[in-house]
Every structure is written in structure tokens, then in C-alpha cells.
């Protein structure tokens, strides 16, 4: 145990030192954000007290929760005071001396060098407290935790060390005293503080007061929970400011939806569609979700149960009177009220997206490009809303221009005479998809094919068997229906004349293919591989194999194009030549899929033999 009656000096964790150095020396161009960060911490501390007081009401005491700004011109200090939960000695060391959060490292990595942008990142990465040092050359924190006797005084100049000692403070809460730098004395001015609170913190659900050394305190904000205010009273700017307050995002949201519901279910929801993806959108272990309040009391951040995973990009909050105040994450799981709220929220989000697609097409595409690959998971995850989700999805296709994306409804409208299915092709990239031999027959027929290039698409099409009564079908699969749709009239005749070739090919390729057959889908390329009618798609097999999963060893069907010279050459080819041609047809079909050859050297050998053979054949002719 250390002696808490004397001053103890401690070193900041290395990362904190780096961060502080950065704050002080480079992030001053947008330095006013320190106030937003400190007010936000004070507000969090009050939320925490309210929450703790659910079980220990005696902690609350008589005075209402509030945040007070106290400028003192003669001392050159600005104090931000709250009567929230406060911190114990250990908490002070933990919270104001180390950065345990993984966000810090990412923050340091994501700095762009653009001061304005970088300073806005500070809050988002949960390193807000240290922004105090942008305007202060010394920061003192006096704090007393609500349920602890001892009060603590923390102080630092932001240069590698901080001191800790016992403090005299009898009321709970925290005072952050900023000894303002000479060039930051503007933050002692009333008008400056008033304007900053209005800009950044008007929506904080607590009174924020300005208390001068003399006179009555002045209220600086509305002081009531933002979402409880009537919609008619709120302007776009208000919604945007509140969004920034709860997310620390510096970008304005793309859209929002604010609803008050009264009836069998009672809740208020305020849901936002961000413009940017969070840095950890793809991190599966990352907690996400909207905030949960019960009767205005903050209960938890990122309540994952309130929205399905495919809507994890939605930010905002839900405030309900239908859950008990002591609700825990365990209670949320499988709770019927929560289930009802969740399905209502899903509808709200889908409505919001419908509306965005209808009224602001460009913004919708922005949304799609940022979150589309996540949203698509809804087709897999949310059977009840599958059609609605699918209707909102956007796809590249063979008819669309380079980067144009279209809907399934538009696809159906464009369907060719006699076409009964929605065709798609999955590939690793759009370029690979557009060049795939599988498309040739469909192109010739004038059938549009959707080009799906996200990894998730393989699972999406596995779950979306049909849309608007139209089955979805892969152009790279050996389905009877597909073949009969694109078949040419002389197919039977051709098949007859290639009977021996097909049999010989099968003999040469052996176990590498399930079978060989004449293709209906090829018009330019000599060969391609297709997946058998049932079983996994070739690309899905590949994805699974690459991620180390055991995949049943299914074999592809090799299709050959009867009108291609390489293939007709097979009809007269001698034994050795035939084997080399077979190797070539199989090998290039594998390569066209973007896959890897099992035996590249055998392929190269056959290729060289064929090229040299052709050269030898031609050589005498040149002499003659
Ligand atoms: P964040 O708010 O994202 O957690 P900060 O750097 O702003 O990160 O604050 C670090 C931590 O310090 C907070 O999580 C909180 O535990 C503690 N803290 C800061 N200010 C206060 C305060 N006024 N009252 C109680 N705890 C505080
Ligand atoms: Mg903070």
C-alpha cells in the first residue's frame, strides 16, 4: 500500500505520453473540442450515478445532477464540475494514467496529419480527457466517488508524469480544473462558453450551468433529454449535433428517424444512418448496437439485442418504459418486449432506407457503398424481411455501365422475352466476372446476368432462392433449365459428332472432372468448368477451402465449345496431341475461374508441346 497522505508521482503509460505530446504540439487548430469532451465525460459520470442509484438510491442525495462551468479570470482557470459518480483512487490511476483501450493504438495509426480531422478523431477513439492539455498547461482533477470516503487530487502538466494525493472534498463528483495556457484565455469568456455549449452540448440531457465567481448561475442549455423534445421543435442541425454528441463522429449522418410510440408498447427511438463506416465494422467481436435508456435513465451502450447484426451500422438510442430499470444484458436476451421493440426498430430502419432510396438516390448509393455488404447479410439472417431487404439491395450486372448498380426489380423489368429466371455469376472481382466464359451464351441470348463479387454473396444467393416469384440461378451451374433456355437447335447433332471426343476427354482427365460435355453457354471460349446441379458453388468451395475449412471433394463438369477450333481439332488429334489439348482445355477453364492449377508444370509442358508442334507443322510449308 502506498501512503495516500503524501504526494505520489507516477509516470504515464508510454502511449499516453505519445498521445499527450501529439495533443499539445499538433492538435491545436480545432482545440475548442476539449470542452465537448470534458462535458461529455461529466455527463457520462452523471449517467453512471443514476444507473448505480437504481440499486443504491441513497447515493443520489438531495442536489439534482448538473454540470457547472466555472471560469475564474483572476486564477486563469476554467473548472468543469459535475456531481456524478466520481472516481476512486484506483480508478483515477486507471482512467487518467493509462490507456487500456485498444482504440488508442488505432487512433495513433489512423491519424492523417490533417490537424482538423485528427483532432476530431480524438473523441471517437475514447481518448477525450487528454484533450484538456490542448488548452491547459496544467490540469488538476479533484474527485470523490459517490460510495467511497476518500477524495483524490490528480495533477499533471502533461509531460510524462502525474501526481496523486489525498484531497479534501466532501461532496461526490469530479472537478476538472484547467490552468489555461496564455493563448487560451478566451475560454474564460462567457460568450465563448455559451456559444460552445450551444454548438456541442445543447442536447446533453442535464442542465449545464455557467457559474461566475460572483452572481447567480446561468443555464446554458436545454437540460432535458434531446429525444423527449417534440419533433416539431427540432431542426436538422439539432439532430446532427445530437448525433455527433452520441457517436463522436465528425461527419453528419446520412439520415435519421425519430419516433415516439405509445400504446401496448411504449418507447421512443432515434435512429441514425452514419455516413462513414466505423474503423471496426468488420471486427466481429466488437460490441455494437444502439444505446438503451429506461425512462430516461441511461442503461447501456451498444445494446446488441435491440437490432439484428446486419443493421449493426445503425447508431442512436431507444428509450422505453416497458423494461425494468435493473435490466441486464442477460434479461435482454430472449425478452419478449425486447423482441417486439427489435422488430419495430427493424421496420423503422427499412422504412428509412426505402425513403432514402426513393427520395435521395445518390445518398442511398453512398449508403450502399459503405454498408451494403453488411446490409446484405439480412437476406441470410432475417427470413421474415428477406424480400424487403432484397428489394433494397443493389447489384452490378452485365447490362449496367461500369460502376452502375441496379435493383432486382429493375432487373425483372428488363428480363428478355422467354426468360424465366434471375441469372447471376459470382466472382472475386468485377473484371473477372465480366470476362467469365460462363456469360457468353447468356450474352448471345440477350439475358442480363447479375455480377456478384462480395464474399458474402455466395451465402446471399444460397438463401435467396427466389425474388418476386422468380428463381435465382447461377450461370456457372449445370442446371437443366438453364441449358434448355440457352440451347441452340443443332445441339443434338453436335453432341452426336462429339461423342467420341467427349469420351476420350473423360478418359484423359479421369478423376479431375465429374464428366465432360458439350456446352450451350460458350460462344467464344473453348472450355469452362461448371458446378454440378446440386452441391456447393465452385467459388464457395474455393472460399471455404482458403479459410481452412473441410470441403467435400466435389468435381466440376468440363464443358467444351463445339464450334471452337481448339475443340474441333480434337476430332482428328493423334494420341499425344489429344492429351496435350485436353490438358490445355482443362487448364484454361481453371484459370478463367481465377483458380489455381493443381499441376502448373504439366500445363506449361502441354502448352509448349502444342505450340512447338504447330511450329514444326508450319516449318516445312515455309520451306516449300
Ligand atoms: P472515454 O470517455 O471515451 O471513456 P476519456 O478519455 O474521455 O475516455 O475518459 C477516460 C475515463 O476517465 C472515462 O471512461 C471515465 O472512466 C473517467 N472519467 C473522465 N472524466 C470523468 C468524470 N468527470 N467523472 C468520472 N469519471 C471520469
Ligand atoms: Mg470521454
Amino acid at each position: 500500500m502506498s501512503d495516500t497522505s503524501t504526494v505520489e508521482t507516477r509516470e504515464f503509460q508510454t502511449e499516453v505520453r505519445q498521445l499527450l505530446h501529439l495533443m499539445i504540439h499538433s492538435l491545436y487548430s480545432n482545440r475548442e473540442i476539449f470542452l465537448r469532451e470534458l462535458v461529455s465525460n461529466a455527463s457520462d459520470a452523471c449517467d453512471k450515478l443514476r444507473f448505480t442509484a437504481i440499486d443504491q438510491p441513497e447515493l443520489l442525495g438531495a442536489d439534482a445532477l448538473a454540470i457547472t462551468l466555472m471560469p475564474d479570470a483572476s486564477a486563469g482557470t476554467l473548472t468543469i464540475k459535475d456531481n456524478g459518480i466520481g472516481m476512486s483512487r484506483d480508478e483515477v490511476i486507471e482512467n487518467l494514467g493509462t490507456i487500456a483501450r485498444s482504440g488508442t493504438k488505432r487512433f495513433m495509426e489512423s491519424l492523417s496529419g490533417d490537424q482538423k480531422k485528427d483532432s476530431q478523431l480524438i473523441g471517437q477513439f475514447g481518448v477525450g480527457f487528454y484533450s484538456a492539455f490542448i488548452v491547459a498547461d496544467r490540469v488538476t482533477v479533484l474527485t470523490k466517488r459517490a460510495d467511497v470516503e476518500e477524495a483524490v487530487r490528480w495533477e499533471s502538466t502533461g509531460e510524462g508524469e502525474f501526481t496523486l494525493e489525498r484531497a479534501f472534498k466532501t461532496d461526490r463528483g469530479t472537478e476538472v480544473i484547467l490552468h489555461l495556457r496564455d493563448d487560451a484565455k478566451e475560454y474564460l469568456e462567457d460568450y465563448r462558453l455559451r456559444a460552445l455549449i450551444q454548438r456541442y452540448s445543447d442536447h446533453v440531457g442535464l442542465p449545464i450551468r455557467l457559474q461566475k465567481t460572483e452572481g447567480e448561475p446561468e443555464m446554458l442549455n436545454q437540460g432535458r433529454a434531446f429525444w423527449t423534445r417534440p419533433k416539431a421543435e427540432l431542426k436538422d442541425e439539432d439532430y446532427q449535433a445530437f448525433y455527433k454528441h452520441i457517436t463522436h463522429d465528425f461527419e453528419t449522418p446520412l439520415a435519421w428517424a425519430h419516433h415516439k410510440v405509445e400504446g401496448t408498447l411504449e418507447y421512443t427511438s432515434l435512429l441514425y444512418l452514419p455516413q462513414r463506416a466505423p474503423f471496426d465494422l468488420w471486427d466481429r467481436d466488437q460490441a455494437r448496437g444502439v444505446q438503451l435508456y429506461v425512462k430516461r435513465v441511461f442503461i447501456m451502450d451498444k445494446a446488441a439485442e435491440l437490432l439484428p447484426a446486419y443493421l449493426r451500422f445503425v447508431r442512436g438510442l431507444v428509450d422505453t418504459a416497458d423494461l425494468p430499470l435493473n435490466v441486464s444484458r442477460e434479461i435482454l436476451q430472449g425478452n419478449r418486449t425486447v423482441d417486439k421493440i427489435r422488430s419495430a426498430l427493424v421496420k423503422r430502419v427499412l422504412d428509412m432506407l426505402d425513403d432514402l432510396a426513393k427520395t435521395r438516390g445518390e445518398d442511398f448509393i453512398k449508403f450502399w457503398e459503405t454498408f451494403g455488404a453488411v446490409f446484405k447479410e439480412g437476406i441470410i439472417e432475417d427470413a421474415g424481411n428477406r424480400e424487403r431487404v432484397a428489394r433494397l439491395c443493389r447489384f452490378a450486372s452485365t447490362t449496367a455501365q461500369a460502376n452502375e448498380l441496379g435493383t432486382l426489380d429493375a432487373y425483372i423489368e428488363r428480363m428478355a422475352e422467354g426468360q424465366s429466371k434471375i441469372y447471376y455469376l459470382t466472382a472475386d472481382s468485377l473484371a473477372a466476372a465480366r470476362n467469365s466464359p460462363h456469360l457468353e451464351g447468356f450474352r448471345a441470348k440477350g439475358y442480363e446476368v447479375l455480377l456478384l463479387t462480395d464474399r458474402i454473396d455466395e451465402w446471399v444467393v444460397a438463401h435467396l432462392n427466389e425474388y418476386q416469384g422468380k428463381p435465382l440461378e447461377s450461370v456457372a451451374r449445370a442446371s437443366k433449365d438453364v441449358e434448355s433456355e440457352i440451347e441452340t437447335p443443332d445441339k443434338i447433332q453436335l453432341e452426336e459428332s462429339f461423342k467420341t471426343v467427349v469420351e476420350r476427354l473423360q478418359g484423359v482427365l479421369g478423376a479431375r472432372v465429374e464428366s465432360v460435355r458439350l456446352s450451350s453457354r460458350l460462344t467464344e471460349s473453348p472450355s469452362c468448368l461448371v458446378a454440378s446441379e446440386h452441391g456447393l458453388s465452385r467459388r464457395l468451395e474455393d472460399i471455404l477451402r482458403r479459410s481452412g475449412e473441410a470441403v467435400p471433394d466435389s468435381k466440376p463438369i468440363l464443358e467444351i465449345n463445339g464450334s471452337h477450333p481448339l475443340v474441333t481439332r480434337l476430332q482428328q488429334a493423334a494420341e499425344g496431341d489429344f492429351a496435350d489439348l485436353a490438358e490445355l482445355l482443362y487448364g484454361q477453364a481453371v484459370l478463367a475461374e481465377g483458380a489455381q492449377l493443381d499441376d502448373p508444370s504439366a500445363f506449361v509442358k502441354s502448352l509448349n508441346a502444342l505450340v512447338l508442334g504447330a511450329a514444326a507443322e508450319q516449318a516445312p510449308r515455309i520451306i516449300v
Side-chain angles (χ1 to χ4, degrees):
M1 276 294 284
S2 56
D3 181 359
T4 52
S5 63
T6 52
V7 181
E8 184 191 348
T9 303
R10 288 197 174 219
E11 294 216 337
F12 281 122
Q13 189 192 21
T14 319
E15 283 89 343
V16 178
R17 272 215 298 276
Q18 287 173 341
L19 185 69
L20 281 170
H21 185 85
L22 200 107
M23 297 265 188
I24 296 163
H25 296 283
S26 46
L27 293 181
Y28 45 76
S29 69
N30 195 27
R31 60 186 187 171
E32 63 192 35
I33 57 128
F34 80 92
L35 190 61
R36 177 188 72 191
E37 294 302 326
L38 297 180
V39 166
S40 149
N41 285 349
S43 156
D44 289 350
C46 292
D47 280 343
K48 278 182 207 154
L49 181 78
R50 257 198 213 123
F51 182 71
T52 316
I54 296 169
D55 290 330
Q56 294 162 267
E58 68 280 4
L59 292 184
L60 218 41
D63 47 342
L65 291 166
I67 300 168
T68 313
L69 307 185
M70 302 183 296
D72 182 339
S74 59
T77 58
L78 172 64
T79 299
I80 294 99
K81 179 183 159 113
D82 66 67
N83 53 0
I85 188 83
M87 282 177 275
S88 68
R89 184 184 172 87
D90 287 345
E91 284 170 327
V92 170
I93 296 169
E94 166 80 21
N95 297 328
L96 311 184
T98 60
I99 304 182
R101 285 169 289 270
S102 62
T104 312
K105 214 171 149 246
R106 287 213 186 88
F107 167 71
M108 303 292 276
E109 286 162 5
S110 61
L111 292 172
S112 63
D114 175 343
Q115 276 190 29
K116 194 141 198 157
K117 273 204 189 124
D118 289 349
S119 60
Q120 284 164 326
L121 281 173
I122 296 173
Q124 196 191 352
F125 284 83
V127 287
F129 170 77
Y130 300 105
S131 66
F133 289 97
I134 310 177
V135 294
D137 48 24
R138 186 154 54 97
V139 177
T140 311
V141 177
L142 291 174
T143 186
K144 182 184 141 1
R145 209 186 134 93
D147 48 7
V148 172
E149 275 305 309
E150 187 203 18
V152 186
R153 178 192 162 94
W154 175 103
E155 192 168 271
S156 177
T157 55
E159 282 159 355
E161 292 174 347
F162 60 89
T163 59
L164 276 176
E165 63 190 293
R166 186 169 229 158
F168 299 97
K169 179 171 164 64
T170 49
D171 51 343
R172 63 149 205 267
T174 303
E175 288 174 41
V176 178
I177 304 160
L178 307 176
H179 306 267
L180 294 172
R181 294 171 188 279
D182 283 340
D183 61 2
K185 295 283 198 267
E186 61 189 289
Y187 299 110
L188 295 170
E189 307 280 354
D190 300 0
Y191 76 95
R192 197 77 178 94
L193 295 172
R194 240 179 248 127
L196 285 178
I197 292 299
Q198 245 150 46
R199 168 149 6 130
Y200 292 119
S201 312
D202 194 26
H203 34 261
V204 170
L206 284 169
I208 302 176
R209 298 179 303 214
L210 177 64
Q211 173 74 74
K212 310 256 285 277
T213 30
E214 284 161 31
E216 287 296 298
E218 171 192 341
M219 271 286 275
L220 295 184
N221 71 335
Q222 297 267 350
R224 59 187 277 211
F226 178 81
W227 59 94
T228 60
R229 290 165 60 187
K231 275 163 87 167
E233 198 181 275
L234 297 168
K235 297 196 285 289
D236 285 0
E237 298 85 83
D238 298 326
Y239 281 109
Q240 289 163 354
F242 184 68
Y243 168 80
K244 290 182 181 176
H245 165 66
I246 58 170
T247 61
H248 292 283
D249 192 352
F250 54 84
E251 214 80 70
T252 50
L254 265 185
W256 56 85
H258 184 191
H259 288 96
K260 256 179 218 159
V261 177
E262 274 155 20
T264 46
L265 210 56
E266 203 177 316
Y267 68 89
T268 299
S269 63
L270 176 51
L271 303 175
Y272 287 98
L273 215 54
Q275 200 156 158
R276 287 178 331 126
F279 63 92
D280 55 4
L281 180 67
W282 296 105
D283 184 349
R284 291 201 161 271
D285 303 327
Q286 203 51 44
R288 55 190 103 243
V290 292
Q291 298 180 331
L292 174 64
Y293 288 78
V294 171
K295 300 193 188 98
R296 242 98 42 231
V297 177
F298 174 80
I299 304 295
M300 67 180 79
D301 228 356
K302 304 185 175 167
E305 291 75 12
L306 292 174
L307 279 174
Y310 75 100
L311 298 179
R312 59 181 176 267
F313 47 83
V314 172
R315 308 296 299 270
L317 61 91
V318 177
D319 184 358
T320 178
D322 292 334
L323 287 171
L325 272 168
N326 61 359
V327 67
S328 63
R329 287 197 194 266
E330 290 68 44
I331 295 178
L332 285 183
Q333 284 160 12
N335 178 292
R336 290 194 45 208
T337 309
V338 173
D339 289 346
K340 281 189 208 147
I341 294 179
R342 182 178 45 229
S343 23
L345 294 185
V346 170
K347 286 198 65 192
R348 301 270 180 237
V349 176
L350 295 178
D351 288 346
M352 174 160 62
L353 288 170
D354 275 341
D355 188 57
L356 188 67
K358 251 182 236 131
T359 58
R360 292 154 53 204
E362 261 175 45
D363 282 342
F364 183 84
I365 292 297
K366 225 188 237 174
F367 154 76
W368 183 258
E369 280 163 355
T370 315
F371 299 114
V374 172
F375 181 70
K376 266 192 274 190
E377 293 171 10
I379 291 178
I380 303 162
E381 195 186 338
D382 191 352
N385 288 301
R386 190 165 287 153
E387 286 262 326
R388 272 201 84 178
V389 172
R391 176 165 307 128
L392 282 161
C393 286
R394 296 290 188 271
F395 301 99
S397 90
T398 45
T399 24
Q401 299 297 315
N403 290 320
E404 232 174 36
L405 298 170
T407 61
L408 288 173
D409 287 326
Y411 178 98
I412 290 176
E413 249 169 57
R414 284 193 296 265
M415 271 166 70
E417 189 74 17
Q419 181 186 348
S420 62
K421 297 187 172 184
I422 299 172
Y423 291 109
Y424 67 83
L425 172 73
T426 59
D428 283 338
S429 72
L430 214 50
R434 285 192 197 284
N435 292 323
S436 166
H438 296 109
L439 292 175
E440 294 168 5
F442 293 84
R443 244 193 222 120
K445 263 271 195 177
Y447 288 2
E448 178 173 4
V449 178
L450 302 176
L451 305 175
L452 311 181
T453 54
D454 286 329
R455 273 171 75 95
I456 187 82
D457 288 335
E458 290 290 344
W459 286 270
V460 167
V461 289
H463 284 81
L464 191 66
N465 298 321
E466 57 167 55
Y467 177 76
Q468 295 285 305
K470 305 264 187 291
L472 268 80
E473 184 89 63
S474 163
V475 298
R477 193 180 280 285
S479 139
K480 298 237 166 36
D481 292 351
V482 173
E483 270 124 49
S484 61
E485 277 215 314
I486 54 173
E487 206 156 272
T488 46
D490 50 358
K491 176 95 184 283
I492 310 244
Q493 251 187 333
L494 261 181
E495 257 167 6
E496 202 47 49
S497 69
F498 276 95
K499 207 163 164 244
T500 353
V501 166
V502 164
E503 277 164 16
R504 282 177 78 191
L505 273 175
Q506 233 151 333
V508 174
L509 295 172
R512 283 185 279 175
V513 294
E514 183 188 287
S515 61
V516 178
R517 62 187 200 184
L518 215 55
S519 180
S520 322
R521 75 193 87 214
L522 296 174
T523 61
E524 290 156 36
S525 307
S527 61
C528 71
L529 294 174
V530 298
S532 56
E533 184 151 12
H534 308 288
L536 301 179
S537 86
R538 311 242 331 123
R539 179 163 175 264
L540 182 53
E541 270 185 20
D542 193 45
I543 291 178
L544 291 176
R545 216 168 269 134
R546 267 185 280 168
S547 56
E549 266 172 81
V551 183
D553 213 10
S554 77
K555 293 186 184 109
I557 299 168
L558 177 71
E559 288 199 352
I560 52 169
N561 175 359
S563 56
H564 196 282
L566 271 183
V567 177
T568 47
R569 204 166 134 189
L570 282 168
Q571 287 174 310
Q572 268 88 47
E575 201 75 26
D577 243 13
F578 191 95
D580 287 331
L581 276 169
E583 207 59 53
L584 187 68
L585 289 175
Y586 174 77
Q588 61 176 269
V590 172
L591 291 175
E593 288 192 326
Q596 284 185 357
L597 294 168
D598 283 336
D599 188 354
S601 67
F603 177 78
V604 171
K605 237 189 217 152
S606 294
L607 184 63
N608 290 344
L610 285 166
V611 174
L612 288 174
E617 252 170 53
Q618 276 176 8
R621 260 181 250 144
I622 296 168
I623 296 167
V624 170

